[in-house]
Amino acid sequence: MAYYRITGGKPLHGTISVSGAKNAALPIICATVLTGEKCRIENLPDIEDVHSILMILEDLGATVERPSTDVAIIDPTTINKLRVSMAMASKLRASYYMLGALLGRYGYAHIALPGGCPIGERPINFHINGMRLLGADVRDVDSESTPQQVQYALELLEPGSEVSSEEQRSGFVIASGKELHGGEIFLDMPSVGATINIMFAAVRAEGRTIINNAAREPHVVDVANFLSACGATIRGAGTDVIRITGTKKLHGCTYAIIPDQIETGTYMIAAAATKGDVIIKNVIPAHLEAISAKLMECGVEVTEGDTGREFFLRVRAKERPRACNIRTLPYPGFATDLQQPMTALLSVAIGSSVIVENLFENRFMHTRQLNRMGANIRLDGRMAIVSGVEKLYGTEIEATDLRAGAAMIVAALMADGTSIIRSIIHIDRGYEKLDEKLRALGADIERVEE
Ligand code: EPZ
């Protein structure tokens, strides 16, 4: 097991470039299935989740070439399987995008459910309801299902295949629908996953689909732009109403993923926490309004500029941040994926901050680790009350999930003394070359392979 050893107290200085967005790359890789032709995807981040989703594609029979770590050439025409196994699905939650992609292209999909994850239950009822509205017969089984429900779902099983008792326990979904038709969908919540998965099922359906209360995240727009580049007719991505007119013929394309706004926000917070001066290149400032505004509210200096070829953000801080309150909300609100690193910064703020996590029911596990470093954070349901302390102290801590790991990195970079961060496999899922990028900014960080 690898771990990071970080000695804190060194202000980050210098320039780094952001990688492609994980949460755009994962669905776009799945969306290549819908085109039925070779696609070249560029600006991919070199992270575990991308490796895992490409492995799932290859397991289905697609061929994947990697001319470089940021490019994948995917040929979905060799797909000969419409089932994502438990072993594959459990690699990452975004495996559920294969439900909409396989259903949309082949009229059938059987996906084992990865189940809950550290930050919450992560159900996919909105995805399933949307696909049913498009005419698919979708039967889902989870740990609470009755034997009758399991039998009912197994009626859709492909002839000759079977479902292990383990998969029956952990859950699976089978969707069948050769002739999908358009429909009008109203999402209970602007779910990113449901918006994207329903788009996948709708792009080749007969007629028009309207998704109301759609998610507006930059990665939703990026997925829509990819599908449009493949010949799909999609209007309104980035707003809360997306209109899709199904087209039977989609074609391959070459497409570059947008920069990762969560990676960018994480480095902005780290620059502020270490009282540094960092320039982050290859960003889209419009995607960073909420985090920039919050950092400026804390007294951090955030300026944007462009070199003529690309935009950059410069983040500077000279003293402890002022406390501020955070409410996580769907985009363009404050991103839940930045709540955890932001909590680390606010743990040393002057004053008390109230953080409300509205998206996930269990996204405060990093606070226990921060308290072990000397922070003073009290939890009350979906609320964390952070009483700012003078400083944190290095110790042995654990990354409990991807963005909790980011919070540990921010905390260790500013703490007095040396920290050991364990379970960094979680961090590898979403941050490309993290230690290299931080060392380039002057951080004292070492990755140790045990
Ligand atoms: C995506 O997850 C991201 N993952 C998450 O990033 C991100 O935190 C989240 O969107 C919110 O921005 C990827 O893009 C791969 P949701 P997703 O559907 O699509 C509930 C990271 O760190 N819900 O917008 O699963 C759900 O439980 C990861 O990169 C239902 O109830 O998020 C949650 O409370 C973590 N039923 C809320 O909606 C559903 O059918 C928002 O979830 C779907 C969602």
Side-chain angles (χ1 to χ4, degrees):
M1 295 292 279
Y3 62 84
Y4 281 133
R5 178 188 292 117
I6 297 176
T7 299
K10 296 177 173 49
L12 298 183
H13 276 275
T15 300
I16 53 161
S17 201
V18 169
S19 307
K22 166 178 90 76
N23 292 344
L26 300 179
I28 286 173
I29 287 169
C30 297
T32 59
V33 169
L34 289 160
T35 67
E37 286 187 8
K38 241 185 198 184
C39 295
R40 178 186 169 91
I41 312 296
E42 299 175 341
N43 198 33
L44 283 173
D46 184 14
I47 55 175
E48 280 313 305
D49 273 6
V50 166
H51 307 153
S52 299
I53 204 81
L54 288 171
M55 208 183 289
I56 289 176
L57 257 184
E58 288 181 308
D59 182 65
L60 297 177
T63 42
V64 177
E65 295 163 58
R66 300 301 310 271
S68 58
T69 56
D70 63 343
V71 174
I73 299 171
I74 298 167
D75 179 358
T77 58
T78 49
I79 285 178
N80 54 18
K81 198 167 124 184
L82 303 181
R83 177 172 182 178
V84 176
S85 67
M86 265 186 70
M88 287 290 148
S90 56
K91 287 179 176 300
L92 79 165
R93 291 202 44 75
S95 50
Y96 53 47
Y97 284 130
M98 283 301 181
L99 182 65
L102 293 172
L103 175 67
R105 175 80 176 78
Y106 298 100
Y108 185 89
H110 174 166
I111 315 290
L113 286 184
C117 72
I119 64 174
E121 186 45 44
R122 315 288 295 274
I124 61 166
N125 54 317
F126 304 157
H127 304 230
I128 291 171
N129 296 343
M131 289 173 197
R132 284 177 178 149
L133 267 166
L134 302 183
D137 178 0
V138 187
R139 302 183 191 179
D140 59 307
V141 163
D142 61 24
S143 48
E144 269 97 59
S145 296
T146 64
Q148 294 73 13
Q149 285 168 324
V150 175
Q151 279 319 310
Y152 179 60
L154 291 177
E155 286 169 12
L156 289 184
L157 207 51
E158 280 181 314
S161 60
E162 57 184 34
V163 174
S164 68
S165 53
E166 197 193 356
E167 183 176 328
Q168 289 184 27
R169 269 196 311 279
S170 75
F172 62 92
V173 188
I174 302 180
S176 173
K178 298 286 184 208
E179 304 295 327
L180 297 186
H181 54 71
E184 179 143 18
I185 289 147
F186 202 101
L187 292 177
D188 295 14
M189 285 177 66
S191 154
V192 169
T195 301
I196 292 173
N197 234 344
I198 293 164
M199 264 202 294
F200 287 172
V203 279
R204 297 169 61 100
E206 188 62 40
R208 280 165 62 81
T209 295
I210 300 175
I211 305 174
N212 297 291
N213 198 20
R216 298 160 54 185
E217 271 74 358
H219 28 295
V220 172
V221 178
D222 212 27
V223 171
N225 289 341
F226 167 78
L227 290 169
S228 300
C230 298
T233 306
I234 303 178
R235 297 280 179 277
T239 74
D240 60 350
V241 181
I242 298 178
R243 288 176 171 76
I244 299 151
T245 305
T247 30
K248 269 297 160 236
K249 187 77 191 90
L250 292 179
H251 51 75
C253 76
T254 293
Y255 193 81
I257 304 287
I258 54 169
D260 192 319
Q261 87 266 22
I262 303 302
E263 182 194 15
T264 307
T266 307
Y267 282 104
M268 292 169 74
I269 294 167
T274 56
K275 303 189 187 75
D277 180 353
V278 173
I279 289 178
I280 307 169
K281 293 193 318 180
N282 180 31
V283 299
I284 300 176
H287 295 168
L288 296 149
E289 302 282 351
I291 180 64
S292 300
K294 271 302 162 188
L295 286 174
M296 288 189 276
E297 190 181 329
C298 295
V300 177
E301 197 185 320
V302 180
T303 48
E304 71 178 69
D306 76 77
T307 60
R309 270 184 318 108
E310 62 188 342
F311 286 105
F312 65 84
L313 283 176
R314 183 171 185 177
V315 180
R316 275 179 282 191
K318 292 190 182 58
E319 59 268 328
R320 278 173 68 188
R322 291 193 296 270
C324 74
N325 297 330
I326 303 276
R327 277 176 187 287
T328 63
L329 285 170
Y331 190 87
F334 191 91
T336 174
D337 295 349
L338 290 175
Q339 175 266 105
Q340 292 159 288
M342 192 69 186
T343 307
L345 173 68
L346 293 175
S347 65
V348 294
I350 299 166
S352 287
S353 307
V354 176
I355 298 169
V356 181
E357 172 51 67
N358 292 306
L359 276 293
F360 292 106
E361 61 269 32
N362 188 29
R363 204 166 196 175
F364 283 134
M365 283 184 291
H366 53 299
T367 58
R368 192 151 52 87
Q369 303 292 320
L370 292 172
N371 284 343
R372 293 186 53 234
M373 299 178 79
N376 179 359
I377 305 172
R378 193 165 44 82
L379 296 183
D380 180 1
R382 296 249 182 160
M383 196 161 53
I385 296 96
V386 185
S387 306
V389 296
E390 186 81 26
K391 61 170 72 169
L392 299 182
Y393 297 88
T395 184
E396 189 156 328
I397 42 186
E398 170 130 29
T400 52
D401 56 82
L402 168 55
R403 307 302 176 181
M408 297 303 109
I409 294 282
V410 169
L413 286 171
M414 65 168 155
D416 231 3
T418 300
S419 299
I420 300 287
I421 303 178
R422 296 200 176 282
S423 310
I424 59 175
I425 178 73
H426 290 295
I427 302 175
D428 293 346
R429 285 188 42 223
Y431 290 96
E432 175 182 314
K433 301 188 182 70
L434 180 83
D435 50 326
E436 283 175 40
K437 290 187 179 184
L438 285 172
R439 266 196 301 277
L441 294 175
D444 180 347
I445 176 172
E446 183 194 359
R447 182 188 179 101
V448 179
E449 301 291 344
E450 253 179 332

